[in-house]
Amino acid sequence: MTVCYVLEPRQCHNGSMELDLDFNALAKQHKDSVYRQMIRVCGNREDAEDVLIEALLKAYRHLDQLRESAAFRAWLAQIAKRVCWQLKEREALLPLLQLSTLEDEGREVAGSEPPPDAQLAQQQMKGLLNEAIDALPALYRPVYELCDVENLRGDEVAQKLGISRAAMKSRLHRARHLVRTHLDAALTGQALK
């Protein structure tokens, strides 16, 4: 990664340019390790690059607050973490800001519920399925309800009904076939034979 320093020379409190030269040397020395940390903190390289550049600019502007040059890496990493957190806060608030903008413009926001026609279709399908289950012969209905409606395991169903696992599988297969046939007939408008 290459970071260009677009920093103006500025004089230190004592009038020398020494601290600026130290900043360039320190930034070049520590930028790669701070960048790697920011990849982990920010989650991607693009944000890490942006955060590092912003952190370097902030560090340069507040260089007079650095007490020891040995602490530069930790200081820069702390600044970068704060910048990353601010970026993440902005990203988290963005949907709310967009929602607020939509409401200010008088536009409606789509709800999380399916549209009314989809709800109606879902209710009709549920009704057809219940009719198909009710139409099952008494031999097959309990197996189908326990396996496919209540989601019990095959062994549990067989034990509950007091039948073998093979008999349970056979009845379940037949019940599913009858339900499919009933649903197909209802959906195509034909009468069940």
Side-chain angles (χ1 to χ4, degrees), residues 28-89:
K28 286 179 184 175
Q29 180 182 356
H30 298 292
K31 70 176 175 57
D32 291 335
S33 65
V34 173
Y35 172 70
R36 285 190 298 274
Q37 287 178 5
M38 290 308 101
I39 290 173
R40 289 189 297 274
V41 173
C42 296
N44 64 63
R45 294 180 184 278
E46 294 80 17
D47 286 347
E49 287 176 16
D50 293 343
V51 164
L52 179 60
I53 291 169
E54 182 70 25
L56 285 168
L57 288 171
K58 285 186 177 200
Y60 183 76
R61 283 188 214 116
H62 301 285
L63 196 55
D64 56 332
Q65 295 176 8
L66 180 64
R67 290 176 182 67
E68 296 179 25
S69 61
F72 181 80
R73 180 174 157 194
W75 183 62
L76 180 62
Q78 190 61 39
I79 293 170
K81 283 179 190 174
R82 275 193 228 112
V83 170
C84 184
W85 292 333
Q86 290 169 349
L87 176 72
K88 287 185 181 224
E89 281 179 7

Side-chain angles (χ1 to χ4, degrees), residues 11 28 58 86 98 114 123 127 131 139 141 147 152 156 158 170 176 192:
Q11 292 192 345
K28 286 179 184 175
K58 285 186 177 200
Q86 290 169 349
Q98 289 171 342
Q123 287 175 347
E131 284 177 21
L139 185 65
R141 187 179 311 123
C147 285
L152 294 180
E156 293 177 66
S170 174
R176 286 177 176 164
L192 186 62

Side-chain angles (χ1 to χ4, degrees), residues 47-187:
D47 286 347
E49 287 176 16
D50 293 343
V51 164
L52 179 60
I53 291 169
E54 182 70 25
L56 285 168
L57 288 171
K58 285 186 177 200
Y60 183 76
R61 283 188 214 116
H62 301 285
L63 196 55
D64 56 332
Q65 295 176 8
L66 180 64
R67 290 176 182 67
E68 296 179 25
S69 61
F72 181 80
R73 180 174 157 194
W75 183 62
L76 180 62
Q78 190 61 39
I79 293 170
K81 283 179 190 174
R82 275 193 228 112
V83 170
C84 184
W85 292 333
Q86 290 169 349
L87 176 72
K88 287 185 181 224
E89 281 179 7
R90 273 191 303 249
E91 288 175 353
L93 289 176
L94 189 60
L96 294 175
L97 295 174
Q98 289 171 342
L99 178 63
S100 177
T101 303
L102 287 175
E103 288 174 348
D104 290 345
E105 293 173 357
R107 293 193 274 173
E108 286 191 33
V109 181
S112 59
E113 292 184 13
D117 56 338
Q119 289 178 357
L120 180 62
Q122 188 177 16
Q123 287 175 347
Q124 289 174 340
M125 278 303 294
K126 191 174 182 179
L128 289 174
L129 181 60
N130 285 334
E131 284 177 21
I133 293 171
D134 290 342
L136 285 174
L139 185 65
Y140 304 123
R141 187 179 311 123
V143 174
Y144 184 83
E145 287 175 339
L146 291 172
C147 285
D148 288 357
V149 176
E150 295 182 23
N151 292 319
L152 294 180
R153 288 188 359 253
D155 294 333
E156 293 177 66
V157 173
Q159 184 180 13
K160 227 177 204 184
L161 296 176
I163 57 175
S164 70
R165 183 161 167 80
M168 185 277 310
K169 284 183 175 185
S170 174
R171 291 179 189 180
L172 179 61
H173 176 73
R174 180 72 177 135
R176 286 177 176 164
H177 174 74
L178 290 172
V179 167
R180 259 192 312 272
T181 303
H182 186 89
L183 289 175
D184 288 343
L187 292 173

